[in-house]
């Protein structure tokens, strides 16, 4: 799915959270959104998902303004924070609920859950724990799985590597790259982890105080040097 942004603006008091005159995210991109705290990454994602109203300008997902239509929702999966979860359910109940509202049979739900066994790592399913009682890392995994569950054509993940141990981070990188290969989906991730961003992204957009500073192709990790220079640190 293609995303186009035009004259998108959002301020909170005197703080500019987003000021993007123009940005096009192409169908099939894995876009890594990087920047320091306060760069506006989460604000941008929330406006894309119609969770936050811009002060001006617009987002279009395949030509559809998410603020004016529901069409985009069926083909979009997102996880921003714990507020996206129904935490008084077990993971099994949560995915059964997702299946029910998207017309999946329970058999189809059970089969789809098997696709996430490696990421789940034996810690999420079969323990009769409510989502609220899971560790931060396992809540994160449930949220990521829920974003991918219905095989959406657009995936938006805010800081997906947070709370995950190194093994799970590597599994997630593999899962996301494989998902894109299988589905051709457009995937947007924000991350403070430059290494993971360079590893996974086909393109990297650098935000600073709501403005796009750099929009870089990342073929074969080619954005690494510019990111190192900007953040004045090595991407190992």
């Amino acid at each position: 799915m293609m995303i186009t942004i035009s004259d998108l603006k959002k301020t909170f008091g005197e703080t500019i959270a987003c000021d993007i005159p123009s940005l096009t995210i192409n169908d099939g991109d894995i876009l890594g959104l990087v920047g320091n705290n306060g760069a506006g990454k989460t604000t941008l994602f929330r406006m894309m998902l119609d969770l936050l109203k811009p002060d001006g300008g617009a987002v279009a997902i395949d030509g559809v303004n998410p603020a004016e239509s529901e069409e985009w929702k069926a083909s979009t999966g997102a996880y921003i924070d714990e507020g996206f979860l129904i935490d008084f359910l077990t993971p099994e109940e949560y995915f059964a609920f997702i299946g029910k509202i998207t017309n999946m049979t329970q058999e189809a739900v059970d089969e789809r859950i098997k696709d996430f066994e490696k990421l789940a790592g034996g810690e999420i399913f079969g323990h009769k724990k409510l989502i609220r009682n899971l560790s931060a890392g396992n809540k994160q995994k449930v949220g990521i799985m829920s974003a991918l569950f219905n095989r959406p054509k657009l995936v938006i993940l805010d800081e997906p590597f947070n709370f995950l141990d190194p093994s799970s981070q590597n599994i997630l990188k593999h899962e996301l790259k494989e998902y894109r290969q299988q589905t051709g989906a457009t995937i947007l991730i924000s991350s403070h982890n430059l290494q993971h961003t360079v590893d996974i992204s086909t393109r990297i957009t650098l935000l600073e105080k709501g403005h796009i500073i750099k929009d870089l192709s990342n073929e074969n990790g080619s954005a690494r040097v510019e990111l190192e220079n900007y953040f004045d640190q090595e991407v190992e």
Side-chain angles (χ1 to χ4, degrees), residues 1-222:
M1 298 180 76
M2 178 180 283
I3 298 173
T4 54
I5 291 171
S6 53
D7 297 318
L8 194 65
K9 292 180 172 62
K10 184 67 183 178
T11 59
F12 297 102
E14 299 297 314
T15 302
I16 298 172
C18 183
D19 186 356
I20 300 176
S22 178
L23 178 67
T24 298
I25 301 165
N26 297 313
D27 188 27
D29 275 350
I30 300 182
L31 179 76
L33 198 62
V34 299
N36 291 316
N37 288 337
K41 303 184 298 295
T42 301
T43 297
L44 177 56
F45 281 173
R46 287 188 172 276
M47 287 191 287
M48 287 181 179
L49 294 167
D50 193 34
L51 298 172
L52 186 64
K53 299 295 183 188
D55 297 329
V59 175
I61 299 175
D62 271 355
V64 175
N65 185 333
E68 298 174 355
S69 169
E70 303 284 307
E71 289 178 29
W72 57 279
K73 289 186 176 180
S75 51
T76 301
Y79 184 65
I80 304 295
D81 56 37
E82 286 183 35
F84 278 52
L85 302 174
I86 305 175
D87 68 358
F88 58 82
L89 301 178
T90 66
E92 288 89 342
E93 290 170 337
Y94 180 52
F95 289 113
F97 171 75
I98 291 173
K100 192 169 186 178
I101 62 175
T102 54
N103 299 313
M104 292 175 71
T105 65
Q106 187 58 48
E107 290 76 13
V109 169
D110 294 340
E111 283 300 309
R112 184 68 176 123
I113 284 174
K114 290 178 183 177
D115 294 338
F116 298 109
E117 283 180 352
K118 197 167 184 181
L119 182 60
E123 298 178 342
I124 292 173
F125 301 109
H127 298 285
K128 298 182 179 179
K129 268 191 174 182
L130 301 181
I131 291 172
R132 67 172 58 151
N133 295 327
L134 296 176
S135 69
N138 286 334
K139 286 178 186 174
Q140 186 83 345
K141 291 178 184 180
V142 170
I144 292 164
M145 292 176 204
S146 69
L148 299 172
F149 201 73
N150 289 312
R151 298 188 180 277
K153 296 292 288 180
L154 172 62
V155 178
I156 297 177
L157 300 173
D158 194 21
E159 297 288 350
F161 300 105
N162 274 6
F163 311 118
L164 301 186
D165 59 41
S167 294
S168 297
Q169 290 176 353
N170 285 328
I171 290 168
L172 177 58
K173 284 194 292 187
H174 174 77
E175 296 265 358
L176 290 175
K177 287 192 281 190
E178 189 173 72
Y179 183 82
R180 182 220 182 198
Q181 288 174 350
Q182 291 175 350
T183 65
T186 305
I187 300 175
L188 280 58
I189 64 166
S190 72
S191 181
H192 284 111
N193 190 307
L194 300 183
Q195 172 61 51
H196 293 330
T197 306
V198 168
D199 284 349
I200 195 174
S201 303
T202 61
R203 178 178 168 193
I204 295 176
T205 298
L206 176 58
L207 281 180
E208 181 181 292
K209 297 180 180 177
H211 298 87
I212 294 175
I213 304 302
K214 295 181 183 291
D215 187 16
L216 308 169
S217 171
N218 189 43
E219 187 176 352
N220 300 317
S222 59

